[in-house]
Amino acid sequence: MALKTINPTTTSAWSKLQAHFETIKASHINTFFAQNSNRASEMTIKWEDFYVDYSKHRINNETLELLIELANEVDLKDAIEKYFSGDVINQTEGREVLHTALRNPKDAEVLVNGNDVMPEIFEVKRKIEIFSNQIIDGKLKSYTNKPFTDIVNIGIGGSDLGPAMVVDALTYYKNHLNTHFVSNVDGDHVNEIIKKLNPETTLFVIVSKTFTTQETLSNANTIRSWFLKNAPDAAVSKHFVAVSTNIEKVKEFGIDENNIFPMWNWVGGRFSLWSAVGLSISLAVGFDNFDKLLYGAHKMDEHFKTADFDRNIPVVTALLSVWYNNFFKAESEAVISYSQYLNQFATYLQQGIMESNGKSIDRNGDKVNYQTGTIIWGEPGTNSQHAFFQHIHQGTKLIPAEFIGFSKSLHGNQDHQDKLMSNFFAQTEALMNGKSKSEVIQELKAQGVSEETIRMVTPFKVFDGNKPTSTILINQLNPESLGKLIAMYEHKIFVQGIIWNIFSYDQFGVELGKQLANTILDELKNPNVINNHDDSTKNLLAFYKKQSH
Ligand code: F6P
C-alpha cells in the first residue's frame, strides 16, 4: 500500500507549531532550564548503551508535544509499518525499501511479492562468512599460491561510502588485511592506490548495484588491465569478485559466477552496507564483527518500531531537525563526532541525508511550498573546534548540531579520553550558555585589562549562546553500537521524508549531470563531434581541449 500524501503545512499541528514558534523563538534555552528543574532528565532518552540528551534545544514540552502531533497527523505510525513490512514505499521506482530485512534474525519473515526474502538473505550472509573466513585465514590463496594481503573495494556512492566509513570507524577491530577504496573516476586516485599494491596478493571487490556506473567500471577496467600486465588471464577468477544485482553484466566483465555476491533491488544504494556491499567490512574486521554491526542496527530497528514517539531516538531527532529547518529556517545541521574513528561519518551521512531528502516535489507530484532536506556537514571534534566552531559560536547563522561521543576510549588512554570529552561537554555548554557582557567585563577586569581596552573588545568577546545541540553519548565504539548509530540516522531520514511528504528513496537528481557528462565525453574524445552548449560551456571546453590534449 502506498504512503499517505499529507501536506504537512495543511495539518492543524503545523498551524499550532507556527503560532507556538512565534511565542518561543526569542526565548533562551537557559530560561527553559530555569522554568523546569527536571528538564535535563525529562529530555533525555536512555536506551541500551545510548544516552541521548536533547534538553539543550530551543524547545519546551509544548514544542515536542506539537511536533509529535504533527507526526501523528501525517500518520507516521502507518508509514513505519509500511516501511518494515515491505510495501512499495519507493513508489517512483516501484520498489520496496527493505535494508532493515538484511539485519533481521533468521526466524523473521519478510514478504516481497509473496516470497519470504529471509532465506536468500541468510544464504548470501553465509557466502560472505565462508569467503571472508577463507581469505582472512589464508585458505583461499592468490594465483601464485600466496595468502592475500590487500583488499581493494572498487565502487562509488553507496557502494563505497558506507563500507569505507565503517572500515575506518572499526579500525581498532581490523585484522592483518590492508583495505583500500577506489571510487573517483579521477585516474590519479586509482593510480595512487595501484602504486601501493602487489598484484600477486591483492583481492579486488567490485561493488556496483547496477554494474553500469561509469566511475566503477572505468576503475575496474583500469585495475584489471594493470593486473593482467603481471598475471595470466586465468588469475582473474581468483582475484576479482563482484557485488551486484546485475549478474549478466558482471559475467560480461569476466567475473566467475561463483565470485558474485548478489544483492537485491529492494536495497537502496545508500542503505546497502548491510548487504554484500559490506563484503569489504567483513573482510577487514571479520564476519563476526560484521554480524554484530547488523545486530546493532536490528536493535535500533526494534527501538524505532516499538518505542513511543516521545522516547524514540530517531523520531525525536528527526522532529527537532524539522523544527529548525521549517520554523527557525536553519540552513544546515552539523554532526560532530568526538572520535577520530568517525572521521568519515559526516561524509557518509551526506549521501544518506541529502540524496534521500534533497527533493522538491511532494508525494502528490506537486512542487512543495516549504523547505525539505537538511544540509549536513561536520568533522570530528576536537579538530573541528579549531576549524569552523568560530562560525557556530559567533556567526549569524543558526546551526543546530549533534554531538556524538563515547564514554570509553578503545586504547584506554584515560588522560586523552578525559581531555577529549571535556571538550565535548564544554562545547555544548558554551554553545548554549554563551557569555554575557557583564561576564566578559568581569573577566577582563580580573586580568587587569585597562578600562579603555575593555570598552573596545567587549562586544567581540560576547557570545549570545542559545545555540542548540543534542548530545549522543554512547558507551564505547564497537560494531554493535556503530550499527545502532547508523540505523538511527537511516530512520531519522525516513521520518523526515514522511513528514515532508516526499519520496526519500529515489535519486533522479543525479541523472541529468551524468547524461550531460556522456555527451561532453564524446566531444572530448572525438574532435569531430560538436554539440550545442551555452557560450560559457563552449569556451571552457575549447580551452580545456587546448590545454589537455
Ligand atoms: O549517486 C547515484 C547512485 O545511484 C547512488 O545512489 C549509488 O549509491 C551510486 O550511484 C552507485 O551506484 P552503483 O552501486 O549502481 O554503482
Side-chain angles (χ1 to χ4, degrees):
M1 279 233 300
L3 291 170
K4 294 188 177 168
T5 57
I6 301 162
N7 176 339
T9 64
T10 62
T11 60
S12 73
W14 193 277
S15 313
K16 288 188 214 164
L17 277 162
Q18 199 62 64
H20 172 69
F21 172 71
E22 293 304 322
T23 67
I24 205 180
K25 65 182 181 195
S27 305
H28 200 290
I29 306 168
N30 279 336
T31 56
F32 298 135
F33 275 97
Q35 285 158 5
N36 176 5
S37 57
N38 291 327
R39 179 179 171 94
S41 45
E42 279 172 13
M43 293 192 175
T44 293
I45 304 175
K46 289 185 197 157
W47 171 76
E48 297 247 328
D49 47 348
F50 278 47
Y51 182 110
V52 180
D53 178 336
Y54 60 93
S55 62
K56 294 189 180 81
H57 276 287
R58 293 171 74 165
I59 57 166
N60 59 19
N61 287 344
E62 191 187 345
T63 324
L64 198 67
E65 278 162 26
L66 291 175
L67 286 166
I68 288 171
E69 209 175 301
L70 173 64
N72 288 331
E73 270 192 77
V74 300
D75 210 350
L76 177 61
K77 201 93 222 134
D78 170 74
I80 294 174
E81 270 163 37
K82 289 175 174 157
Y83 175 34
F84 281 91
S85 59
D87 281 21
V88 180
I89 63 165
N90 176 1
Q91 281 164 241
T92 45
E93 295 184 326
R95 290 174 190 166
E96 305 77 11
V97 175
L98 279 177
H99 48 276
T100 52
L102 299 165
R103 51 235 194 180
N104 268 346
K106 211 170 189 165
D107 57 1
E109 185 190 62
V110 179
L111 300 180
V112 172
N113 294 327
N115 296 323
D116 183 9
V117 292
M118 292 313 300
E120 300 172 57
I121 291 176
F122 271 81
E123 205 180 300
V124 177
K125 275 180 78 172
R126 181 81 187 126
K127 187 170 163 125
I128 297 172
E129 180 177 14
I130 294 170
F131 185 73
S132 307
N133 287 343
Q134 287 178 331
I135 295 284
I136 296 165
D137 299 345
K139 288 196 181 114
L140 263 184
K141 293 207 167 53
S142 76
Y143 76 97
T144 53
N145 215 27
K146 291 187 175 148
F148 286 98
T149 56
D150 290 72
I151 310 293
V152 181
N153 188 96
I154 310 167
I156 195 163
S159 300
D160 164 73
L161 290 164
M165 180 278 287
V166 172
V167 168
D168 195 33
L170 298 181
T171 301
Y172 181 79
Y173 302 87
K174 275 192 71 181
N175 52 39
H176 61 282
L177 295 168
N178 303 309
T179 26
H180 314 265
F181 290 84
V182 181
S183 51
N184 203 321
V185 76
D186 177 357
D188 290 339
H189 187 194
V190 65
N191 278 299
E192 285 298 333
I193 302 282
I194 283 174
K195 195 162 102 174
K196 301 179 207 149
L197 302 174
N198 174 3
E200 258 188 80
T201 57
T202 304
L203 177 78
F204 301 97
V205 184
I206 310 174
V207 188
S208 177
K209 183 177 163 185
T210 54
F211 224 76
T212 56
T213 306
Q214 185 202 47
E215 291 91 337
T216 304
L217 292 183
S218 303
N219 283 325
N221 280 315
T222 300
I223 285 180
R224 187 179 51 185
S225 305
W226 165 82
F227 178 77
L228 288 175
K229 276 191 202 140
N230 304 280
D233 279 2
V236 170
S237 66
K238 284 189 185 280
H239 285 250
F240 285 78
V241 303
V243 179
S244 187
T245 54
N246 197 341
I247 310 298
E248 282 318 303
K249 283 254 179 242
V250 178
K251 286 205 263 179
E252 262 172 48
F253 182 87
I255 288 185
D256 203 288
E257 185 139 21
N258 293 327
N259 289 351
I260 304 176
F261 293 79
M263 59 184 293
W264 305 273
N265 274 330
W266 39 261
V267 183
R270 52 192 173 274
F271 303 101
S272 62
L273 69 88
W274 323 98
S275 70
V277 169
L279 181 60
S280 306
I281 303 172
S282 178
L283 288 163
V285 298
F287 179 80
D288 287 351
N289 282 323
F290 178 59
D291 208 27
K292 283 182 194 155
L293 182 85
L294 268 55
Y295 179 63
H298 174 70
K299 281 198 159 176
M300 182 55 83
D301 296 342
E302 288 300 305
H303 166 73
F304 177 54
K305 267 199 294 194
T306 56
D308 290 342
F309 287 167
D310 62 346
R311 310 307 299 158
N312 191 313
I313 302 169
V315 172
V316 169
T317 51
L319 291 174
L320 288 169
S321 183
V322 169
W323 175 237
Y324 293 111
N325 188 58
N326 295 93
F327 297 92
F328 278 94
K329 312 281 185 225
E331 286 123 335
S332 72
E333 278 174 21
V335 174
I336 317 290
S337 316
Y338 277 68
S339 165
Q340 196 56 33
Y341 289 118
L342 293 186
N343 193 26
Q344 298 185 41
F345 195 56
T347 313
Y348 162 77
L349 287 180
Q350 280 176 338
Q351 190 200 13
I353 293 173
M354 291 163 74
E355 200 166 88
S356 300
N357 286 338
K359 312 282 166 66
S360 53
I361 302 296
D362 71 14
R363 289 200 291 270
N364 293 305
D366 298 325
K367 191 118 191 134
V368 296
N369 58 359
Y370 47 88
Q371 287 293 320
T372 64
T374 42
I375 295 171
I376 167 91
W377 54 282
E379 284 290 323
T382 59
N383 295 13
S384 51
Q385 293 176 198
H386 300 270
F388 53 72
F389 265 53
Q390 166 63 37
H391 192 131
I392 304 186
H393 279 288
Q394 286 190 311
T396 54
K397 295 186 169 59
L398 177 68
I399 305 169
E402 275 164 352
F403 279 63
I404 301 167
F406 298 90
S407 298
K408 291 185 187 146
S409 76
L410 289 173
H411 285 277
N413 187 327
Q414 200 59 39
D415 175 50
H416 277 267
Q417 172 69 4
D418 289 341
K419 284 176 182 157
L420 173 75
M421 294 308 278
S422 64
N423 278 281
F424 175 79
F425 297 119
Q427 287 298 334
T428 58
E429 194 175 26
L431 284 163
M432 176 174 77
N433 289 331
K435 197 189 246 185
S436 67
K437 189 173 169 186
S438 58
E439 282 173 306
V440 174
I441 295 173
Q442 221 175 4
E443 194 179 284
L444 291 171
K445 274 191 180 153
Q447 288 165 8
V449 177
S450 75
E451 288 288 329
E452 198 195 333
T453 308
I454 291 179
R455 241 191 329 276
M456 199 276 281
V457 298
T458 296
F460 304 99
K461 289 185 171 262
V462 169
F463 289 63
D464 293 335
N466 214 16
K467 313 285 190 217
T469 60
S470 299
T471 301
I472 302 171
L473 183 58
I474 302 166
N475 189 37
Q476 195 165 37
L477 177 61
N478 55 42
E480 187 180 322
S481 61
L482 182 64
K484 290 173 183 164
L485 186 67
I486 300 169
M488 176 198 119
Y489 279 99
E490 289 180 343
H491 300 323
K492 182 181 172 188
I493 292 167
F494 170 81
V495 173
Q496 287 174 298
I498 293 304
I499 291 186
W500 289 323
N501 193 28
I502 53 176
F503 287 117
S504 300
Y505 297 98
D506 59 25
Q507 57 286 314
F508 298 117
V510 294
E511 294 307 320
L512 176 62
K514 277 196 209 169
Q515 277 168 11
L516 260 179
N518 282 333
T519 315
I520 292 177
L521 183 61
D522 251 6
E523 275 173 86
L524 298 184
K525 288 196 176 289
N526 184 350
N528 300 323
V529 178
I530 297 169
N531 291 318
N532 203 16
H533 296 286
D534 59 85
D535 286 350
S536 156
T537 310
K538 238 187 260 171
N539 288 351
L540 284 163
L541 291 177
F543 184 77
Y544 168 79
K545 276 185 174 177
K546 225 162 63 198
Q547 299 277 325
S548 178
H549 286 253

